Amino acid sequence: MPMLAYFEELEPREDRRRWARRSLRFGAGANDDSVTIHDLSLTGALLETSIPMLVGAIFEVELPHAGTIEAEIVWNGGEFYGCQFSLPISPAALSAALLQSAPANDPSDPVAELHELSAEVERLALKMERALRRLRSR
């Protein structure tokens, strides 16, 4: 379920040694800075963009109900980039981002269906882990 986003350039921050130069925002951008988010999970995302980025590059992601979270490019292949969030986002933030940005799903697209199922499995696994921790603490 691809989602549209765009990069916005940020002003340098003098209070940090390592600062994000870009912020990824959901929706369509005004310039040729478009990004397609092919997969969004609790721990990262798969991006496609013609904007060149290096492995190790840091950027911010503006998420609904989560605010700004830092992400790092951990691999790239052509115009595809895998990024990892500095901290996992909550299932509620993931759901809000998916609901806000999700285009109408094409029921005949098996890849989109698999991505959707993968995200749901990840959410359920996190819920199970939390429930098990609560049981162990009793």
Side-chain angles (χ1 to χ4, degrees), residues 3-69:
M3 299 173 278
L4 291 179
Y6 66 96
F7 276 116
E8 181 178 281
E9 295 299 315
L10 299 174
E11 293 296 320
R13 296 180 190 161
E14 293 184 24
D15 60 331
R16 291 174 53 179
R17 265 188 13 182
R18 190 173 111 166
W19 53 273
R21 298 171 188 210
R22 296 184 175 123
S23 180
L24 183 66
R25 300 179 186 270
F26 286 81
N31 302 327
D32 189 27
D33 50 3
S34 64
V35 177
T36 302
I37 302 171
H38 288 283
D39 191 18
L40 181 65
S41 72
L42 299 173
T43 58
L46 171 62
L47 311 178
E48 179 183 7
T49 182
S50 60
I51 298 170
M53 294 187 290
L54 297 173
V55 170
I58 304 294
F59 62 96
E60 294 178 348
V61 180
E62 294 284 333
L63 290 168
H65 301 290
T68 303
I69 188 158

Side-chain angles (χ1 to χ4, degrees), residues 77-88:
E79 293 189 342
F80 288 88
Y81 298 88
C83 68
Q84 182 175 9
F85 300 142
S86 58
L87 296 171

Side-chain angles (χ1 to χ4, degrees), residues 1-4 37-38 97-120 123:
M1 68 182 125
M3 299 173 278
L4 291 179
I37 302 171
H38 288 283
L98 293 173
L99 285 173
Q100 177 179 338
S101 303
N105 277 342
D106 178 4
S108 65
D109 183 3
V111 174
E113 185 177 358
L114 287 173
H115 282 291
E116 195 172 318
L117 287 170
S118 175
E120 185 64 25
R123 285 190 295 270

